[in-house]
């Protein structure tokens, strides 16, 4: 099962490369510096430094969005694969709600259980990345506003 998962993942990686999306490389220290900048240091940044910070964080935000997209596609693949595996047995499962019957069907199938564990792992990763992605966007917007304010004070 994980072999099919890896093959699908590699296929999607090749697709991204065919679109011209490069492997992402960034200056980790620069990203950390701008994300953890204390207010006292923020006030001392000049216009160009603010612009640099916006660029670094927007580039990192792009990287995070690609990571979000990858996790979402992995979750979708696992979910749809599970649904196909258990669809024939779903109506035979005890339970009143659809979700109950689905969980029973997954529990009765080793391959579906493995895929569900993969799905859950990637869902947890996605949940964590989404918060960081939103935080990076917020800091980039704050730096943009500061940059604009500093530009106005230069004139």
């Amino acid at each position: 099962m994980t072999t099919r998962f890896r093959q699908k993942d590699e296929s999607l990686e090749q697709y991204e490369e065919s679109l011209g999306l490069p492997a992402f490389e960034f200056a980790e220290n620069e990203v950390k510096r701008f994300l953890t900048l204390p207010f006292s240091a923020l006030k001392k940044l000049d216009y160009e430094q603010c612009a640099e910070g916006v660029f670094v964080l927007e580039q990192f935000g792009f990287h995070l969005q690609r990571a979000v997209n990858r996790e979402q596609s992995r979750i979708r693949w696992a979910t749809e694969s599970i649904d196909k595996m258990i669809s024939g047995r779903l109506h035979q499962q005890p339970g009143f709600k659809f979700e109950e019957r689905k969980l029973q069907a997954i529990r009765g199938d080793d391959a579906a259980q493995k895929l569900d564990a993969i799905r859950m792992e990637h869902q947890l990763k996605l949940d964590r990345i989404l918060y960081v992605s939103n935080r990076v966007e917020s800091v980039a917007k704050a730096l943009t506003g500061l940059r604009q304010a500093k530009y106005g004070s230069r004139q």
Side-chain angles (χ1 to χ4, degrees):
M1 197 53 55
T2 56
T3 303
R4 285 187 9 215
F5 182 77
R6 274 192 231 110
Q7 288 171 342
K8 187 57 69 179
D9 213 35
E10 288 172 13
S11 170
L12 293 171
E13 291 290 332
Q14 290 172 358
Y15 173 69
E16 283 188 2
E17 288 175 16
S18 76
L19 294 175
L21 295 173
F24 187 74
E25 294 179 21
F26 62 94
E28 184 177 337
N29 292 338
E30 287 298 302
V31 172
K32 285 181 182 178
R33 180 173 77 98
F34 284 108
L35 286 177
T36 60
L37 205 58
F39 183 71
S40 58
L42 187 66
K43 292 190 315 188
K44 295 176 184 175
L45 294 178
D46 64 22
Y47 172 79
E48 286 83 15
Q49 290 169 321
C50 289
E52 177 188 331
V54 170
F55 177 77
V56 166
L57 293 178
E58 290 289 342
Q59 191 177 38
F60 186 59
F62 175 73
H63 167 68
L64 288 176
Q65 185 60 52
R66 283 179 71 185
V68 164
N69 294 350
R70 284 183 178 129
E71 296 306 326
Q72 287 174 331
S73 67
R74 291 168 179 153
I75 292 165
R76 176 174 289 140
W77 180 84
T79 300
E80 290 182 11
S81 296
I82 291 167
D83 289 348
K84 287 177 185 175
M85 292 172 127
I86 65 170
S87 64
R89 295 186 311 275
L90 200 56
H91 68 282
Q92 301 166 350
Q93 302 303 316
F96 293 106
K97 296 180 182 177
F98 172 78
E99 194 63 30
E100 291 173 358
R101 292 191 311 270
K102 183 175 179 177
L103 291 173
Q104 290 287 349
I106 291 170
R107 190 167 32 164
D109 186 311
D110 288 341
Q113 284 182 31
K114 289 177 185 176
L115 269 178
D116 196 47
I118 290 170
R119 182 199 58 78
M120 179 55 75
E121 177 186 344
H122 290 286
Q123 182 63 56
L124 294 172
K125 288 178 181 179
L126 175 63
D127 293 345
R128 292 184 79 163
I129 293 171
L130 284 174
Y131 171 76
V132 174
S133 177
N134 290 334
R135 175 78 177 116
V136 168
E137 183 180 350
S138 296
V139 174
K141 283 181 180 178
L143 276 175
T144 298
L146 181 62
R147 179 180 60 103
Q148 291 170 342
K150 289 184 182 261
Y151 181 76
S153 67
R154 287 176 29 176
Q155 296 178 350

